[in-house]
Amino acid sequence: MDLSVIVPTFNEGPNVAELVRRTTAAVPGRSVEIIFVDDSTDDTPDVIRAVAGEASVPVRLLHRDEPVGGLGGAVVDGIRAAQSDFCVVMDGDLQHPPEVIAELLARAEVGDADVVVASRYIAGGTSEGLANAVRTLVSRGSTMLTKAMFPRKLHNCSDPMTGFFLVDRRALDVEGLRPRGFKILLEILARKQMRVAEVPFSFAARFAGESKASFSQGLRFLTQLTMLRFGRMSAFAVVGGIGAVANLLITWALTGLGVQYLIASVIASVLTIVGNFLALEYLVFADMRAESGLMRHRFLKSFTFNGIEALVRIPLLWLLVSAAHLHVVIATALTLIAAFVVRFVYHALVVYAPKRSRLAQMPLPETLEDELAA
Ligand code: GDD
Ligand code: MN
């Protein structure tokens, strides 16, 4: 097998036949397989099976009942299942022209690169197929931000946001990846220094159907970026910081409306505690949810922590000020920092602890060290 083409799909039925036809035609005389890693909720799996029956190359379907990690998780599962070490990752909507696969493969076979990126942003490439001016701006802006945060690792990559690339699996630490959301290439390039080569391509308009990109994917991307660069703890801190500011704003707005200040403060606290918990669930600890039991149990544990924290922190503050004679601002800062560290450790090790039965199946316990390594 010269090449495995991995195609993540979510409700892409009308694109499948055309994609298989063009991919097969793109690399004549080479032995290639196409793996659809499918999380669809419609009839896409049936379409894939039907097309597979007619195809002249092996077409495999990996349907996932538990779509862990979304698009990125699907790609990693595809890489694991691939017959070849040369894995091309390509969208299932034909925005990535399959004809470019031949160039990716030829470039990889030179033998001096671990990843060959199909880039919209080098000479000969275009991003015309992006749906509108806003998407173009978001793509350009996030590319710049990302490159600025990983100047060395992304030095040779002009398009870390692309979903079209070839990776040599032998250069990859598959188990070390923490895929979440859309930007799997970024995950691959930021974890480890890779030798990157590029070929240009023109990002096309969708063949059929509509994009699954969304605002929540955008939030997920920003969390991924923060966690890759600064570790999970900093994403946790950002969420906490936003919560604190939101708490102030809500209290301020409610008292402005004439609500009594203690009542305003209770409402603001409840809202931010719930908001904070949801941000931890869906952003900071999203990759650990599946393993750590029921959401309502996690909420109870997290909520209880907030109560106990207040009960412990305020007497401690009193001790620091009256017994240790610290300035009240310094004492408050110390208790808040201590509470932050304890809060993070508690959430990482208790609230999101993997359940025992699952633990046995896991290859390696995830260490804090690994998470904190920048
Ligand atoms: N298996 C699986 N699971 N596939 C998914 C999921 C999911 O949860 N969500 C989306 N996909 C598939 C889609 O079916 C499609 O084949 C591909 O991932 C890309 O999704 P689109 O909905 O077409 O998103 P896009 O065009 O906005 O984003 C693409 O373009 C970006 C460049 O601007 C993605 O390829 C990005 O990776 C790429 O960076
Ligand atoms: Mn697309």
Side-chain angles (χ1 to χ4, degrees):
M1 189 70 66
D2 297 323
L3 186 66
S4 299
V5 178
I6 295 155
V7 185
T9 46
F10 184 85
N11 300 352
E12 301 286 2
N15 294 313
V16 171
E18 181 68 2
L19 184 141
V20 169
R21 186 186 69 73
R22 283 175 58 185
T23 303
T24 310
V27 276
R30 308 300 293 260
S31 78
V32 52
E33 64 171 351
I34 304 174
I35 306 176
F36 288 94
V37 191
D38 183 65
D39 295 332
S40 296
T41 50
D42 66 2
D43 65 345
T44 302
D46 300 329
V47 176
I48 294 171
R49 279 186 211 103
V51 170
E54 315 257 283
S56 58
V57 302
V59 172
R60 297 163 60 193
L61 167 63
L62 226 84
H63 182 78
R64 308 195 306 163
D65 293 323
E66 255 186 276
V68 181
L71 167 51
V75 167
V76 172
D77 285 347
I79 291 175
R80 281 203 188 95
Q83 297 279 323
S84 168
D85 283 325
F86 277 172
C87 299
V88 164
V89 177
M90 179 173 85
D91 284 355
D93 57 2
L94 294 165
Q95 291 200 276
H96 300 154
E99 294 67 32
V100 177
I101 294 174
E103 290 157 50
L104 290 173
L105 183 57
R107 185 64 192 79
E109 284 176 340
V110 173
D112 61 351
D114 304 315
V115 180
V116 185
V117 171
S119 170
R120 298 163 287 180
Y121 300 134
I122 47 170
T126 69
S127 57
E128 281 156 15
L130 280 176
N132 53 46
V134 174
R135 282 275 331 236
T136 308
L137 205 72
V138 168
S139 175
R140 285 291 191 168
S142 53
T143 300
M144 270 196 305
L145 176 66
T146 308
K147 278 181 68 75
M149 286 172 78
F150 295 94
R152 241 168 354 105
K153 290 203 177 98
L154 299 182
H155 182 67
N156 292 320
C157 182
S158 59
D159 195 356
M161 301 295 150
T162 187
F164 194 13
F165 57 92
L166 181 154
V167 60
D168 182 341
R169 186 173 55 185
R170 289 165 297 185
L172 209 59
D173 170 19
V174 180
E175 302 309 323
L177 299 174
R178 293 280 174 278
R180 59 207 131 202
F182 272 29
K183 299 305 168 189
I184 182 61
L185 178 61
L186 173 62
E187 187 74 26
I188 289 172
L189 296 182
R191 288 276 170 204
K192 183 176 158 198
Q193 184 71 54
M194 297 286 227
R195 297 174 302 161
V196 180
E198 296 192 317
V199 302
F201 88 105
S202 294
F203 192 69
R206 254 182 177 270
F207 183 68
E210 53 193 49
S211 172
K212 284 84 193 175
S214 60
F215 181 69
S216 91
Q217 283 299 336
L219 286 183
R220 222 157 270 168
F221 159 69
L222 290 176
T223 313
Q224 177 190 24
L225 200 58
T226 314
M227 275 165 58
L228 279 171
R229 182 70 282 184
F230 307 111
R232 193 189 298 277
M233 199 168 179
S234 69
F236 188 82
V238 170
V239 165
I242 293 174
V245 173
N247 192 324
L248 288 177
L249 287 177
I250 296 169
T251 310
W252 173 75
L254 288 177
T255 48
L257 290 171
V259 179
Q260 203 261 340
Y261 79 94
L262 281 179
I263 297 175
S265 170
V266 169
I267 295 175
S269 298
V270 170
L271 287 179
T272 47
I273 285 171
V274 172
N276 200 290
F277 178 74
L278 291 177
L280 294 185
E281 280 284 303
Y282 294 109
L283 298 172
V284 181
F285 290 103
D287 55 332
M288 292 165 76
R289 289 178 70 221
E291 306 283 318
S292 58
L294 294 175
M295 182 165 166
R296 62 169 183 276
H297 291 169
R298 290 195 296 272
F299 181 73
L300 273 182
K301 285 182 195 161
S302 180
F303 197 80
T304 311
F305 182 91
N306 290 311
I308 295 176
E309 187 234 273
L311 285 180
V312 173
R313 200 168 60 79
I314 288 161
L316 189 68
L317 184 65
W318 177 81
L319 261 180
L320 288 177
V321 174
S322 62
H325 303 295
L326 287 182
H327 189 281
V328 64
V329 175
I330 295 180
T332 306
L334 283 179
T335 62
L336 285 177
I337 291 168
F340 167 78
V341 175
V342 176
R343 177 189 297 264
F344 176 69
V345 170
Y346 175 80
H347 278 81
L349 298 186
V350 179
V351 181
Y352 290 91
K355 292 275 166 275
R356 262 177 212 296
S357 57
R358 293 281 192 123
L359 199 61
Q361 308 164 6
M362 295 202 346
L364 270 179
E366 194 173 356
T367 63
L368 274 179
E369 242 170 346
D370 140 20
E371 289 298 325
L372 295 175

